[in-house]
Amino acid sequence: MAEIAITGGIGSGKTTVARLLVERGATLVDADQIVKDLQRSGGKVFKKIVEIYGNEILLDDGELNRQKIAEIVFNDEQELSKLNEIVHPAVGEEMGKRRKEAIKQGSIVLVDIPLMVTAEGELGRDEYKLFDGIIVVDCKIETAVYRLVQQRGFNEKDARARIAKQATPEQRREFADFLFDNNGPEENLPKQIEECWEWAHSLSVKKRNV
C-alpha cells in the first residue's frame, strides 16, 4: 500500500483532513502525537528536557508544560537547536517503528509531518522525497489566523508570529502531489476527501505493479 505524507501550516486544518482520511480507512502516523508521547513523564525525552530547563517547565501534575517550552524556544534559535537535538532523533526513530507497523496492516499509511517544508522552502529531510505522494492542506494566512484566534485561543499577534516562522503557503504548494483547499468549513471537504482517497488508491495500485 502507498505511504503518503500530509503537511500544512498551523491553522490550516490538516488535523481535520487527516481525521477524515482515517475515517475512510487510512492508518495515521502522527509526528505531533509521537512528540507528545515521548515527552510524557517517563517518556524517552522527558528526563533530558527537565535536566536542561528544570522543574519550572513542569505542570502541577508532573507533565511537561509544552506551552512554556514553546515560549522559551520560540524566539531563541540557540534554545530551539538545543531542544531539537534532544527531540528529533527520538522522534525519527519512533516514527520509523510506527510506519513499519502501519505498513504491515495493509492499509494506506498517512504520515502527518507538520514542518515537512522548512521556512526556507525546502523539504526538511531528504527521506521525505521517498514518500509515494505528498498531501498539502492549504489555506490563506487570514483564514489560519482566524482559526487560531477563534478555535485555539491565540491572540492575533502570536498567531501571526507563529505563521511567519513557518513555510509560506506558496512554498508548501510547490511540493503538493494532492492539494486541499481548506479555506472553508469542514462541510466543504467531503468531495476533496473522496478525490484524495481515489488518488491514494491509484498510488497503491501503481506501487503494486512496479
Side-chain angles (χ1 to χ4, degrees):
M1 282 292 186
E3 189 178 25
I4 300 168
I6 181 169
T7 193
I10 186 170
S12 67
K14 171 180 56 63
T15 300
T16 298
V17 171
R19 172 176 57 78
L20 292 171
L21 289 170
V22 168
E23 289 176 2
R24 290 303 307 267
T27 298
L28 179 65
V29 178
D30 186 341
D32 263 355
Q33 186 59 52
I34 289 172
V35 171
K36 291 176 184 177
D37 291 345
L38 294 175
Q39 289 183 350
R40 286 198 179 104
S41 180
K44 192 167 184 179
V45 302
F46 175 86
K47 184 177 179 181
K48 291 180 180 179
I49 292 176
V50 175
E51 285 176 354
I52 290 177
Y53 297 109
N55 290 335
E56 61 267 22
I57 49 90
L58 296 178
L59 297 167
D60 292 340
D61 62 2
E63 297 291 342
L64 290 177
N65 186 333
R66 287 164 57 86
Q67 181 61 36
K68 180 69 174 178
I69 295 171
E71 291 171 359
I72 292 172
V73 305
F74 183 64
N75 287 311
D76 191 321
E77 293 295 333
Q78 186 173 353
E79 291 297 332
L80 179 60
S81 177
K82 191 188 303 182
L83 181 65
N84 286 343
E85 287 175 6
I86 297 172
V87 175
H88 285 181
V91 171
E93 181 181 350
E94 184 63 23
M95 280 192 72
K97 291 178 182 177
R98 297 193 190 187
R99 286 168 65 182
K100 288 178 182 178
E101 291 171 0
I103 290 170
K104 289 178 182 177
Q105 294 178 23
S107 58
I108 290 171
V109 178
L110 191 64
V111 184
D112 186 334
I113 310 175
L115 302 180
M116 186 173 191
V117 182
T118 69
E120 291 74 37
E122 301 172 350
L123 290 178
R125 295 174 180 270
D126 287 341
E127 55 262 37
Y128 292 161
K129 299 175 184 177
L130 301 178
F131 283 106
D132 298 304
I134 297 175
I135 297 169
V136 172
V137 183
D138 186 52
C139 74
K140 297 175 183 177
I141 289 177
E142 293 306 317
T143 302
V145 170
Y146 177 83
R147 288 174 177 155
L148 292 174
V149 172
Q150 297 297 321
Q151 300 172 12
R152 294 175 57 176
F154 281 67
N155 66 55
E156 184 175 340
K157 182 180 178 181
D158 286 345
R160 292 187 184 279
R162 291 291 182 95
I163 291 169
K165 284 280 189 177
Q166 297 186 353
T168 65
E170 293 79 13
Q171 288 171 326
R172 287 191 200 88
R173 287 197 291 268
E174 289 290 324
F175 295 96
D177 296 306
F178 191 98
L179 182 67
F180 272 90
D181 178 348
N182 196 26
N183 283 291
E186 184 175 332
E187 290 75 17
N188 291 353
L189 288 174
K191 184 175 185 295
Q192 294 184 80
I193 292 292
E194 183 66 28
E195 292 171 352
C196 183
W197 194 242
E198 291 179 5
W199 166 77
H201 271 287
S202 73
L203 294 181
S204 294
V205 171
K206 182 179 178 180
K207 192 172 183 179
R208 284 198 300 268
N209 292 334
V210 171

